[in-house]
Coordinates of all heavy atoms in Angstrom, one line a residue:
M1 N 0.8 -1.2 0.0 CA 0.0 0.0 0.0 C 0.8 1.3 0.0 O 0.3 2.3 -0.4 CB -0.9 0.0 1.2 CG -2.2 -0.8 1.1 SD -2.8 -0.5 -0.6 CE -4.3 0.1 -0.3
R2 N 2.1 1.2 0.5 CA 2.9 2.4 0.5 C 3.1 3.0 -0.9 O 3.0 4.3 -1.0 CB 4.3 2.1 1.1 CG 5.2 3.2 1.1 CD 6.5 2.9 1.9 NE 7.5 3.9 1.6 CZ 7.6 5.2 1.9 NH1 6.4 5.6 2.6 NH2 8.5 6.0 1.6
R3 N 3.2 2.2 -1.9 CA 3.3 2.7 -3.3 C 2.1 3.6 -3.7 O 2.3 4.7 -4.1 CB 3.4 1.6 -4.2 CG 4.7 1.2 -4.7 CD 4.6 0.2 -5.9 NE 5.9 -0.2 -6.2 CZ 6.2 -1.1 -7.1 NH1 5.2 -1.7 -7.7 NH2 7.4 -1.4 -7.2
L4 N 0.9 3.1 -3.4 CA -0.3 3.9 -3.9 C -0.4 5.2 -3.1 O -0.7 6.2 -3.6 CB -1.5 3.0 -3.7 CG -1.6 1.8 -4.7 CD1 -2.9 1.0 -4.3 CD2 -1.6 2.3 -6.1
R5 N -0.1 5.1 -1.7 CA -0.2 6.3 -0.8 C 0.8 7.4 -1.3 O 0.5 8.5 -1.5 CB 0.1 5.9 0.6 CG -0.2 7.1 1.5 CD 0.1 6.8 2.9 NE 1.5 6.4 3.1 CZ 1.9 5.3 3.7 NH1 1.1 4.4 4.1 NH2 3.2 5.1 3.9
D6 N 2.1 7.0 -1.6 CA 3.1 7.8 -2.0 C 2.7 8.5 -3.4 O 3.0 9.7 -3.7 CB 4.4 7.2 -2.2 CG 5.0 7.0 -0.8 OD1 4.6 7.5 0.2 OD2 6.0 6.1 -0.6
V7 N 2.3 7.7 -4.3 CA 2.0 8.2 -5.7 C 0.8 9.0 -5.7 O 0.7 10.0 -6.4 CB 1.8 7.0 -6.7 CG1 1.3 7.4 -8.0 CG2 3.0 6.2 -6.8
A8 N -0.1 8.9 -4.7 CA -1.3 9.7 -4.5 C -0.9 11.1 -4.1 O -1.8 11.9 -4.1 CB -2.3 9.0 -3.7
H9 N 0.2 11.3 -3.5 CA 0.6 12.6 -2.9 C 0.5 13.7 -4.0 O 0.8 13.5 -5.2 CB 2.0 12.6 -2.4 CG 2.5 13.8 -1.7 ND1 3.0 14.8 -2.3 CD2 2.5 14.0 -0.3 CE1 3.2 15.7 -1.4 NE2 3.0 15.3 -0.2
D10 N 0.0 14.9 -3.6 CA -0.2 15.9 -4.6 C 1.1 16.3 -5.4 O 1.0 16.5 -6.6 CB -0.6 17.2 -3.8 CG -2.1 17.2 -3.4 OD1 -2.8 16.3 -3.9 OD2 -2.4 17.9 -2.4
G11 N 2.2 16.2 -4.8 CA 3.5 16.6 -5.4 C 3.7 15.5 -6.6 O 4.2 16.0 -7.7
E12 N 3.5 14.4 -6.5 CA 3.7 13.4 -7.5 C 2.8 13.7 -8.8 O 3.2 13.6 -9.9 CB 3.6 11.9 -7.2 CG 4.8 11.4 -6.4 CD 4.7 11.7 -4.9 OE1 3.7 12.2 -4.4 OE2 5.8 11.4 -4.3
G13 N 1.5 14.1 -8.5 CA 0.6 14.4 -9.6 C 1.3 15.5 -10.4 O 1.1 15.6 -11.6
Q14 N 1.8 16.5 -9.7 CA 2.3 17.7 -10.5 C 3.6 17.3 -11.2 O 3.8 17.7 -12.3 CB 2.7 18.8 -9.4 CG 1.4 19.4 -8.9 CD 1.7 20.4 -7.7 OE1 2.9 20.6 -7.3 NE2 0.7 21.0 -7.2
F15 N 4.4 16.4 -10.6 CA 5.6 15.8 -11.4 C 5.2 15.1 -12.6 O 5.8 15.3 -13.7 CB 6.3 14.9 -10.5 CG 7.2 15.5 -9.4 CD1 7.0 15.1 -8.1 CD2 8.1 16.4 -9.7 CE1 7.7 15.7 -7.1 CE2 8.9 17.0 -8.7 CZ 8.7 16.7 -7.4
V16 N 4.1 14.3 -12.6 CA 3.7 13.5 -13.7 C 3.2 14.6 -14.8 O 3.6 14.4 -15.9 CB 2.6 12.6 -13.4 CG1 1.9 12.0 -14.6 CG2 3.1 11.5 -12.5
Q17 N 2.5 15.6 -14.4 CA 2.1 16.6 -15.4 C 3.3 17.4 -16.0 O 3.3 17.6 -17.2 CB 1.1 17.6 -14.7 CG -0.2 17.1 -14.4 CD -1.1 18.1 -13.7 OE1 -0.6 19.2 -13.4 NE2 -2.3 17.7 -13.5
L18 N 4.3 17.6 -15.2 CA 5.5 18.4 -15.7 C 6.3 17.5 -16.7 O 6.8 18.0 -17.7 CB 6.4 18.7 -14.5 CG 7.7 19.5 -14.9 CD1 7.4 20.8 -15.4 CD2 8.5 19.6 -13.5
C19 N 6.2 16.2 -16.4 CA 7.1 15.3 -17.3 C 6.4 14.8 -18.5 O 6.6 13.6 -18.9 CB 7.7 14.2 -16.4 SG 8.9 14.9 -15.3
D20 N 5.3 15.5 -19.0 CA 4.7 15.0 -20.2 C 5.7 14.7 -21.3 O 5.6 13.9 -22.1 CB 3.6 16.0 -20.7 CG 2.3 15.7 -20.0 OD1 2.1 14.7 -19.4 OD2 1.4 16.6 -20.2
E21 N 6.7 15.6 -21.3 CA 7.8 15.6 -22.2 C 9.1 15.4 -21.4 O 9.1 15.9 -20.3 CB 7.9 16.8 -23.1 CG 6.8 17.0 -24.1 CD 6.9 18.2 -24.9 OE1 8.0 18.7 -25.1 OE2 5.9 18.6 -25.6
P22 N 10.1 14.7 -21.9 CA 11.3 14.5 -21.1 C 11.8 15.9 -20.6 O 11.8 16.9 -21.3 CB 12.3 13.9 -22.1 CG 11.4 13.2 -23.1 CD 10.2 14.1 -23.3
C23 N 12.3 15.9 -19.4 CA 12.8 17.1 -18.8 C 14.0 16.7 -17.8 O 14.0 15.5 -17.5 CB 11.8 17.8 -18.1 SG 10.9 17.0 -16.8
T24 N 14.8 17.6 -17.5 CA 15.9 17.3 -16.5 C 15.4 17.4 -15.1 O 14.4 18.2 -14.8 CB 17.0 18.3 -16.8 OG1 16.6 19.7 -16.5 CG2 17.5 18.2 -18.2
T25 N 16.2 16.9 -14.2 CA 15.9 17.1 -12.8 C 15.9 18.5 -12.4 O 15.2 19.0 -11.5 CB 16.8 16.2 -11.8 OG1 18.2 16.5 -12.2 CG2 16.6 14.7 -12.1
G26 N 16.9 19.2 -13.0 CA 17.0 20.7 -12.7 C 15.7 21.5 -13.1 O 15.2 22.4 -12.3
E27 N 15.1 21.1 -14.2 CA 13.8 21.7 -14.6 C 12.8 21.4 -13.7 O 11.9 22.3 -13.4 CB 13.5 21.3 -16.0 CG 14.4 21.8 -17.1 CD 14.2 21.1 -18.4 OE1 13.7 20.0 -18.6 OE2 14.6 21.8 -19.5
V28 N 12.7 20.2 -13.2 CA 11.7 19.8 -12.2 C 11.8 20.6 -10.9 O 11.0 21.1 -10.4 CB 11.7 18.2 -11.9 CG1 10.7 17.9 -10.8 CG2 11.4 17.4 -13.2
C29 N 13.1 20.7 -10.5 CA 13.4 21.4 -9.3 C 13.0 22.9 -9.4 O 12.4 23.5 -8.5 CB 14.9 21.3 -8.8 SG 15.3 19.6 -8.3
A30 N 13.3 23.5 -10.6 CA 13.0 24.9 -10.8 C 11.5 25.0 -10.8 O 10.9 26.2 -10.4 CB 13.5 25.3 -12.1
A31 N 10.7 24.1 -11.3 CA 9.2 24.2 -11.3 C 8.6 24.1 -9.9 O 7.5 24.6 -9.7 CB 8.6 23.1 -12.2
F32 N 9.3 23.6 -8.9 CA 8.8 23.5 -7.5 C 9.7 24.3 -6.7 O 10.3 23.8 -5.7 CB 8.8 22.0 -7.2 CG 7.8 21.2 -7.9 CD1 8.2 20.5 -9.0 CD2 6.4 21.2 -7.5 CE1 7.2 19.8 -9.7 CE2 5.5 20.4 -8.3 CZ 5.9 19.8 -9.4
A33 N 9.8 25.6 -7.0 CA 10.7 26.5 -6.1 C 10.3 26.6 -4.7 O 11.2 26.9 -3.9 CB 10.5 27.9 -6.8
D34 N 9.1 26.2 -4.3 CA 8.6 26.2 -2.9 C 9.2 25.1 -2.1 O 9.1 25.0 -0.9 CB 7.2 26.3 -2.7 CG 6.4 25.2 -3.4 OD1 6.8 24.8 -4.6 OD2 5.4 24.8 -2.9
L35 N 9.7 24.0 -2.9 CA 10.3 22.8 -2.2 C 11.9 22.9 -2.4 O 12.3 23.2 -3.4 CB 9.7 21.5 -2.9 CG 8.2 21.3 -2.8 CD1 7.9 20.0 -3.7 CD2 7.8 21.1 -1.4
D36 N 12.6 22.3 -1.4 CA 14.0 22.2 -1.5 C 14.3 21.1 -2.5 O 13.6 20.1 -2.7 CB 14.7 22.2 -0.2 CG 14.3 20.9 0.5 OD1 15.0 19.9 0.3 OD2 13.4 20.9 1.3
R37 N 15.5 21.1 -3.1 CA 16.0 20.1 -4.1 C 15.9 18.7 -3.5 O 15.5 17.8 -4.3 CB 17.4 20.4 -4.5 CG 17.8 19.6 -5.6 CD 19.2 20.1 -6.1 NE 19.8 19.2 -7.1 CZ 19.4 19.2 -8.5 NH1 18.5 20.1 -8.9 NH2 20.0 18.4 -9.3
T38 N 16.2 18.5 -2.2 CA 16.2 17.1 -1.7 C 14.8 16.6 -1.7 O 14.6 15.4 -2.0 CB 16.8 17.2 -0.2 OG1 18.0 17.8 -0.3 CG2 16.8 15.8 0.4
T39 N 13.8 17.4 -1.3 CA 12.5 17.0 -1.3 C 12.0 16.6 -2.7 O 11.4 15.5 -2.9 CB 11.4 18.1 -0.7 OG1 12.0 18.4 0.6 CG2 10.1 17.6 -0.7
V40 N 12.4 17.4 -3.7 CA 11.9 17.1 -5.1 C 12.5 15.8 -5.5 O 11.9 14.9 -6.1 CB 12.4 18.3 -6.0 CG1 12.2 17.9 -7.5 CG2 11.6 19.6 -5.6
L41 N 13.8 15.6 -5.2 CA 14.5 14.4 -5.6 C 13.9 13.1 -4.9 O 13.8 12.0 -5.5 CB 16.0 14.4 -5.3 CG 16.7 15.5 -6.2 CD1 18.2 15.6 -5.8 CD2 16.6 15.1 -7.7
Q42 N 13.4 13.3 -3.7 CA 12.8 12.2 -3.0 C 11.5 11.8 -3.7 O 11.1 10.6 -3.9 CB 12.4 12.6 -1.5 CG 13.6 12.6 -0.7 CD 13.3 13.2 0.7 OE1 12.2 13.8 1.0 NE2 14.3 13.0 1.7
H43 N 10.7 12.9 -4.1 CA 9.4 12.6 -4.9 C 9.8 11.9 -6.2 O 9.0 11.0 -6.6 CB 8.7 13.9 -5.2 CG 7.9 14.4 -4.0 ND1 6.8 13.9 -3.6 CD2 8.3 15.4 -3.1 CE1 6.3 14.5 -2.4 NE2 7.3 15.5 -2.1
I44 N 10.7 12.3 -6.9 CA 11.2 11.6 -8.1 C 11.6 10.1 -7.8 O 11.1 9.3 -8.6 CB 12.4 12.4 -8.8 CG1 12.0 13.7 -9.3 CG2 13.0 11.6 -9.9 CD1 13.1 14.6 -9.8
R45 N 12.3 10.0 -6.8 CA 12.6 8.5 -6.4 C 11.4 7.6 -6.2 O 11.3 6.5 -6.6 CB 13.6 8.4 -5.3 CG 15.0 8.6 -5.7 CD 16.0 8.4 -4.6 NE 15.9 9.3 -3.4 CZ 16.6 10.4 -3.4 NH1 17.4 10.7 -4.3 NH2 16.4 11.2 -2.3
V46 N 10.4 8.2 -5.5 CA 9.2 7.5 -5.3 C 8.5 7.1 -6.6 O 8.1 6.0 -6.8 CB 8.1 8.3 -4.4 CG1 6.7 7.8 -4.4 CG2 8.7 8.5 -3.0
L47 N 8.4 8.0 -7.6 CA 7.9 7.8 -8.9 C 8.6 6.7 -9.6 O 8.1 5.9 -10.3 CB 7.8 9.0 -9.7 CG 6.6 10.0 -9.1 CD1 6.7 11.4 -9.8 CD2 5.2 9.4 -9.3
E48 N 10.0 6.8 -9.5 CA 10.9 5.8 -10.2 C 10.6 4.4 -9.5 O 10.6 3.5 -10.2 CB 12.3 6.2 -10.0 CG 12.7 7.3 -11.0 CD 14.1 7.8 -10.9 OE1 14.7 7.8 -9.8 OE2 14.6 8.4 -11.9
R49 N 10.6 4.4 -8.2 CA 10.3 3.0 -7.6 C 9.0 2.5 -8.0 O 8.8 1.2 -8.1 CB 10.4 3.1 -6.1 CG 11.9 3.2 -5.5 CD 11.8 3.0 -4.0 NE 11.0 3.9 -3.3 CZ 11.5 5.0 -2.7 NH1 12.7 5.3 -2.8 NH2 10.6 5.9 -2.1
A50 N 8.0 3.3 -8.2 CA 6.6 2.9 -8.6 C 6.6 2.6 -10.1 O 5.6 2.2 -10.7 CB 5.7 3.9 -8.3
E51 N 7.8 2.8 -10.8 CA 8.1 2.6 -12.3 C 7.1 3.5 -13.1 O 6.7 3.0 -14.2 CB 7.8 1.1 -12.6 CG 8.9 0.2 -11.8 CD 8.6 -1.2 -12.1 OE1 7.7 -1.6 -12.6 OE2 9.4 -2.1 -11.7
L52 N 6.8 4.6 -12.6 CA 5.9 5.5 -13.3 C 6.8 6.6 -14.1 O 6.3 7.3 -14.9 CB 4.9 6.3 -12.4 CG 3.9 5.4 -11.9 CD1 3.1 6.0 -10.9 CD2 3.1 4.6 -12.8
L53 N 8.0 6.7 -13.7 CA 9.0 7.7 -14.1 C 10.3 7.0 -14.4 O 10.7 6.2 -13.5 CB 9.2 8.8 -13.2 CG 9.8 10.1 -13.6 CD1 9.0 10.8 -14.7 CD2 9.9 11.1 -12.4
G54 N 11.0 7.3 -15.5 CA 12.3 6.7 -15.8 C 13.3 7.8 -16.0 O 12.9 8.9 -16.4
G55 N 14.5 7.5 -15.6 CA 15.6 8.6 -15.9 C 16.8 7.9 -16.5 O 17.1 6.8 -16.3
R56 N 17.5 8.7 -17.3 CA 18.8 8.3 -17.8 C 19.7 9.6 -17.8 O 19.3 10.7 -18.0 CB 18.6 7.7 -19.2 CG 18.2 8.7 -20.2 CD 18.0 8.0 -21.6 NE 17.5 9.0 -22.6 CZ 18.1 9.1 -23.8 NH1 19.0 8.3 -24.2 NH2 17.6 10.2 -24.5
R57 N 21.0 9.3 -17.6 CA 22.0 10.3 -17.7 C 22.5 10.6 -19.0 O 22.7 9.8 -19.9 CB 23.2 9.9 -16.8 CG 22.9 9.8 -15.3 CD 24.0 9.7 -14.5 NE 24.7 11.0 -14.2 CZ 24.3 12.1 -13.6 NH1 23.1 12.1 -13.2 NH2 25.0 13.2 -13.3
I58 N 22.5 11.9 -19.3 CA 23.0 12.4 -20.6 C 24.0 13.5 -20.2 O 23.7 14.6 -19.9 CB 21.8 13.0 -21.6 CG1 20.8 12.0 -21.8 CG2 22.4 13.6 -22.8 CD1 19.6 12.6 -22.6
G59 N 25.3 13.1 -20.3 CA 26.3 14.0 -20.0 C 26.3 14.2 -18.4 O 26.2 13.3 -17.7
R60 N 26.1 15.5 -18.0 CA 26.0 15.9 -16.6 C 24.7 16.0 -16.1 O 24.4 16.2 -14.9 CB 26.9 17.1 -16.4 CG 28.4 17.0 -16.6 CD 29.1 18.2 -16.3 NE 28.7 18.8 -15.0 CZ 29.2 19.8 -14.5 NH1 30.0 20.6 -15.3 NH2 29.0 20.2 -13.2
T61 N 23.7 15.8 -17.0 CA 22.2 16.0 -16.6 C 21.5 14.7 -16.6 O 22.0 13.7 -17.2 CB 21.5 16.9 -17.6 OG1 21.5 16.4 -18.9 CG2 22.1 18.3 -17.7
R62 N 20.4 14.6 -15.9 CA 19.6 13.4 -15.8 C 18.3 13.8 -16.4 O 17.6 14.7 -16.0 CB 19.5 13.0 -14.4 CG 18.8 11.7 -14.2 CD 19.2 11.2 -12.8 NE 18.3 10.1 -12.6 CZ 17.4 10.0 -11.7 NH1 17.1 11.0 -10.9 NH2 16.6 8.9 -11.5
Q63 N 17.9 13.0 -17.5 CA 16.7 13.3 -18.3 C 15.7 12.3 -17.7 O 15.9 11.2 -17.5 CB 16.9 12.9 -19.7 CG 15.9 13.4 -20.6 CD 16.1 15.0 -20.9 OE1 17.2 15.5 -20.8 NE2 15.1 15.7 -21.3
L64 N 14.4 12.9 -17.4 CA 13.3 12.2 -16.8 C 12.2 12.1 -17.8 O 12.0 13.0 -18.6 CB 12.8 12.9 -15.6 CG 13.7 13.1 -14.3 CD1 13.1 14.0 -13.3 CD2 14.2 11.7 -13.8
A65 N 11.5 10.9 -17.9 CA 10.3 10.8 -18.8 C 9.4 9.9 -18.1 O 9.8 8.9 -17.4 CB 10.9 10.2 -20.1
L66 N 8.2 10.0 -18.5 CA 7.1 9.2 -18.0 C 7.3 7.7 -18.6 O 7.8 7.6 -19.8 CB 5.7 9.7 -18.5 CG 5.3 10.9 -17.7 CD1 3.9 11.3 -18.3 CD2 5.1 10.6 -16.3
A67 N 7.0 6.7 -17.9 CA 7.0 5.3 -18.3 C 5.5 5.0 -18.7 O 4.8 4.7 -17.9 CB 7.6 4.5 -17.3
P68 N 5.1 5.0 -20.0 CA 3.8 4.8 -20.4 C 3.2 3.4 -20.2 O 2.0 3.4 -19.8 CB 3.8 5.1 -22.0 CG 5.2 4.9 -22.3 CD 6.0 5.2 -21.1
L69 N 4.0 2.4 -20.2 CA 3.4 1.0 -20.0 C 2.9 0.8 -18.6 O 1.7 0.3 -18.5 CB 4.5 0.0 -20.4 CG 4.0 -1.5 -20.4 CD1 2.8 -1.6 -21.4 CD2 5.1 -2.5 -20.8
P70 N 3.6 1.1 -17.5 CA 3.0 0.9 -16.3 C 1.7 1.8 -16.0 O 0.8 1.4 -15.4 CB 4.1 1.5 -15.2 CG 5.3 1.3 -16.0 CD 5.0 1.6 -17.5
I71 N 1.7 3.0 -16.6 CA 0.5 3.9 -16.5 C -0.6 3.3 -17.3 O -1.7 3.2 -16.8 CB 0.8 5.3 -17.1 CG1 1.9 6.0 -16.1 CG2 -0.4 6.1 -17.2 CD1 2.4 7.2 -16.7
K72 N -0.3 2.6 -18.4 CA -1.4 1.9 -19.2 C -2.0 0.7 -18.4 O -3.1 0.5 -18.3 CB -0.9 1.4 -20.5 CG -2.0 0.7 -21.3 CD -1.5 0.2 -22.6 CE -2.6 -0.5 -23.4 NZ -3.6 -1.2 -22.7
R73 N -1.0 0.0 -17.7 CA -1.4 -1.1 -16.9 C -2.3 -0.7 -15.7 O -3.4 -1.3 -15.4 CB -0.2 -1.8 -16.3 CG 0.5 -2.7 -17.2 CD 1.6 -3.5 -16.5 NE 2.6 -4.0 -17.5 CZ 3.9 -3.9 -17.4 NH1 4.5 -3.4 -16.3 NH2 4.6 -4.4 -18.3
I74 N -2.0 0.5 -15.1 CA -2.9 1.0 -14.0 C -4.2 1.4 -14.6 O -5.3 1.1 -14.1 CB -2.2 2.2 -13.3 CG1 -1.1 1.9 -12.6 CG2 -3.2 3.0 -12.5 CD1 -0.2 3.0 -12.1
H75 N -4.3 2.0 -15.8 CA -5.5 2.4 -16.5 C -6.3 1.1 -16.7 O -7.5 1.0 -16.4 CB -5.2 3.1 -17.9 CG -6.4 3.3 -18.6 ND1 -6.9 2.3 -19.5 CD2 -7.3 4.2 -18.7 CE1 -8.0 2.8 -20.1 NE2 -8.3 4.0 -19.6
D76 N -5.7 0.0 -17.3 CA -6.4 -1.1 -17.6 C -6.9 -1.8 -16.4 O -8.2 -2.3 -16.3 CB -5.6 -2.1 -18.4 CG -5.2 -1.6 -19.8 OD1 -5.8 -0.7 -20.2 OD2 -4.3 -2.2 -20.3
R77 N -6.2 -1.8 -15.3 CA -6.6 -2.5 -14.1 C -7.7 -1.7 -13.3 O -8.7 -2.2 -12.9 CB -5.5 -2.6 -13.1 CG -5.8 -3.4 -11.9 CD -4.6 -3.6 -11.0 NE -3.3 -3.5 -11.6 CZ -2.3 -2.9 -11.0 NH1 -2.3 -2.5 -9.7 NH2 -1.2 -2.8 -11.6
W78 N -7.6 -0.3 -13.3 CA -8.6 0.4 -12.6 C -9.8 0.9 -13.4 O -10.9 0.9 -13.0 CB -7.9 1.5 -11.9 CG -7.0 1.1 -10.8 CD1 -5.7 0.7 -11.0 CD2 -7.2 0.9 -9.5 NE1 -5.1 0.3 -9.8 CE2 -6.1 0.4 -8.8 CE3 -8.4 1.0 -8.6 CZ2 -6.0 0.1 -7.5 CZ3 -8.3 0.7 -7.3 CH2 -7.2 0.2 -6.7
I79 N -9.5 1.5 -14.5 CA -10.5 2.1 -15.4 C -11.2 1.1 -16.2 O -12.4 1.2 -16.5 CB -9.8 3.2 -16.2 CG1 -9.2 4.3 -15.4 CG2 -10.9 4.0 -17.1 CD1 -9.9 5.0 -14.3
G80 N -10.4 0.1 -16.7 CA -11.0 -0.9 -17.6 C -12.2 -1.6 -17.1 O -13.1 -1.9 -17.8
E81 N -12.1 -1.8 -15.8 CA -13.3 -2.6 -15.1 C -14.5 -1.7 -15.2 O -15.6 -2.2 -15.6 CB -12.9 -2.8 -13.6 CG -14.0 -3.7 -13.0 CD -14.1 -5.1 -13.6 OE1 -13.1 -5.7 -13.9 OE2 -15.3 -5.6 -13.6
Y82 N -14.4 -0.5 -15.0 CA -15.6 0.5 -15.0 C -16.1 0.6 -16.5 O -17.2 0.7 -16.7 CB -15.3 1.8 -14.5 CG -15.0 1.8 -13.0 CD1 -13.7 2.0 -12.5 CD2 -16.0 1.6 -12.1 CE1 -13.4 1.9 -11.1 CE2 -15.8 1.5 -10.7 CZ -14.5 1.7 -10.3 OH -14.2 1.6 -9.0
T83 N -15.1 0.6 -17.4 CA -15.4 0.7 -18.9 C -16.3 -0.5 -19.3 O -17.4 -0.4 -19.9 CB -14.2 0.8 -19.7 OG1 -13.5 1.9 -19.3 CG2 -14.5 0.9 -21.1
R84 N -15.9 -1.7 -18.8 CA -16.6 -2.9 -19.1 C -18.1 -2.9 -18.6 O -19.0 -3.2 -19.3 CB -15.8 -4.1 -18.6 CG -14.7 -4.6 -19.5 CD -14.2 -5.9 -19.1 NE -13.5 -5.9 -17.8 CZ -12.2 -5.5 -17.6 NH1 -11.5 -5.1 -18.7 NH2 -11.7 -5.5 -16.5
A85 N -18.1 -2.4 -17.3 CA -19.5 -2.3 -16.7 C -20.3 -1.3 -17.5 O -21.5 -1.6 -17.7 CB -19.3 -1.9 -15.3
A86 N -19.8 -0.1 -17.9 CA -20.6 0.9 -18.7 C -21.0 0.3 -19.9 O -22.1 0.5 -20.4 CB -19.7 2.1 -18.8
V87 N -20.1 -0.4 -20.6 CA -20.4 -1.0 -22.0 C -21.5 -2.1 -21.7 O -22.5 -2.1 -22.6 CB -19.2 -1.6 -22.7 CG1 -19.6 -2.5 -23.8 CG2 -18.2 -0.6 -23.1
G88 N -21.5 -2.8 -20.8 CA -22.6 -3.9 -20.4 C -24.0 -3.1 -20.2 O -25.0 -3.6 -20.7
L89 N -23.9 -2.1 -19.5 CA -25.2 -1.3 -19.2 C -25.7 -0.7 -20.5 O -27.0 -0.7 -20.7 CB -24.9 -0.1 -18.3 CG -24.7 -0.5 -16.9 CD1 -24.2 0.7 -16.0 CD2 -25.9 -1.2 -16.2
L90 N -24.9 -0.2 -21.4 CA -25.3 0.3 -22.7 C -25.8 -0.8 -23.6 O -26.9 -0.7 -24.2 CB -24.1 1.0 -23.4 CG -23.8 2.4 -22.8 CD1 -22.5 2.9 -23.5 CD2 -24.8 3.4 -22.9
A91 N -25.3 -2.0 -23.5 CA -25.7 -3.1 -24.3 C -27.1 -3.6 -23.8 O -28.0 -3.8 -24.6 CB -24.7 -4.3 -24.2
D92 N -27.4 -3.6 -22.5 CA -28.7 -3.9 -21.9 C -29.7 -2.9 -22.3 O -30.8 -3.3 -22.6 CB -28.6 -3.9 -20.4 CG -27.8 -5.1 -19.8 OD1 -27.6 -6.1 -20.6 OD2 -27.4 -5.1 -18.7
L93 N -29.3 -1.6 -22.3 CA -30.2 -0.6 -22.7 C -30.6 -0.7 -24.2 O -31.8 -0.5 -24.5 CB -29.6 0.8 -22.5 CG -30.4 2.1 -22.8 CD1 -31.7 2.1 -21.9 CD2 -29.6 3.3 -22.5
D94 N -29.6 -1.1 -25.0 CA -29.9 -1.3 -26.4 C -30.8 -2.4 -26.6 O -31.7 -2.4 -27.4 CB -28.5 -1.5 -27.2 CG -28.8 -1.5 -28.6 OD1 -29.5 -0.7 -29.2 OD2 -28.3 -2.5 -29.3
D95 N -30.6 -3.5 -25.8 CA -31.5 -4.7 -25.9 C -32.9 -4.4 -25.6 O -33.8 -4.8 -26.2 CB -30.9 -5.8 -25.1 CG -29.6 -6.4 -25.5 OD1 -29.3 -6.2 -26.8 OD2 -29.0 -7.2 -24.8
R96 N -33.1 -3.6 -24.5 CA -34.4 -3.2 -24.1 C -35.1 -2.3 -25.1 O -36.2 -2.3 -25.4 CB -34.4 -2.5 -22.8 CG -34.0 -3.5 -21.7 CD -34.0 -2.7 -20.4 NE -33.5 -3.6 -19.3 CZ -33.3 -3.3 -18.1 NH1 -33.5 -2.1 -17.7 NH2 -32.8 -4.2 -17.2
A97 N -34.3 -1.4 -25.7 CA -34.8 -0.4 -26.7 C -35.2 -1.1 -28.0 O -36.2 -0.8 -28.6 CB -33.8 0.7 -27.0
T98 N -34.5 -2.1 -28.4 CA -34.9 -2.8 -29.6 C -35.7 -4.1 -29.5 O -36.1 -4.6 -30.4 CB -33.6 -3.3 -30.3 OG1 -32.8 -4.2 -29.4 CG2 -32.7 -2.1 -30.7
G99 N -36.0 -4.4 -28.2 CA -36.9 -5.5 -27.9 C -36.3 -6.8 -28.0 O -37.0 -7.9 -28.1
S100 N -35.0 -6.9 -28.0 CA -34.3 -8.2 -28.1 C -34.2 -9.0 -26.9 O -34.2 -8.6 -25.7 CB -32.8 -7.9 -28.5 OG -32.6 -7.2 -29.7

């Protein structure tokens, strides 16, 4: 449960929005001027451990990018179930409307 609680923190949501395109850790730190660098890096590590964010070194900088596959898995696991239920309800409604 620790993973979900940490990822649900407001700061991580903002990090995910910031990293729509690859960005450096310095850019992320600059975007959160109200937090010290250590705190920002801790949030980044939480997202990396949850495999939602990946990083690689390019020279002296570290480039961060979203990891789309784990995000898709979360979508499929959590949202997919609701989608199936909604499609089932629409199919029932269609059956009733057409008299099938």
Side-chain angles (χ1 to χ4, degrees):
M1 278 320 239
R2 177 167 165 70
R3 263 188 183 177
L4 292 177
R5 185 180 65 235
D6 286 346
V7 172
H9 186 278
D10 289 340
E12 278 84 7
Q14 293 172 358
F15 283 123
V16 170
Q17 289 175 356
L18 180 66
C19 290
D20 271 347
E21 294 182 13
C23 58
T24 65
T25 53
E27 291 169 336
V28 174
C29 290
F32 295 93
D34 58 321
L35 299 175
D36 63 86
R37 186 174 177 81
T38 304
T39 302
V40 173
L41 294 175
Q42 287 173 348
H43 284 284
I44 289 171
R45 278 194 290 274
V46 168
L47 290 170
E48 287 177 328
R49 280 194 306 262
E51 299 175 355
L52 298 175
L53 192 66
R56 65 183 182 132
R57 291 196 79 62
I58 300 175
R60 294 180 57 183
T61 63
R62 188 156 170 249
Q63 196 79 22
L64 300 170
L66 289 177
L69 189 57
I71 294 170
K72 183 183 179 325
R73 286 186 195 136
I74 291 169
H75 172 273
D76 292 347
R77 185 176 343 142
W78 293 89
I79 307 299
E81 188 63 38
Y82 294 107
T83 303
R84 281 189 290 277
V87 169
L89 289 171
L90 290 172
D92 290 345
L93 182 62
D94 185 51
D95 289 345
R96 290 180 187 176
T98 59
S100 301

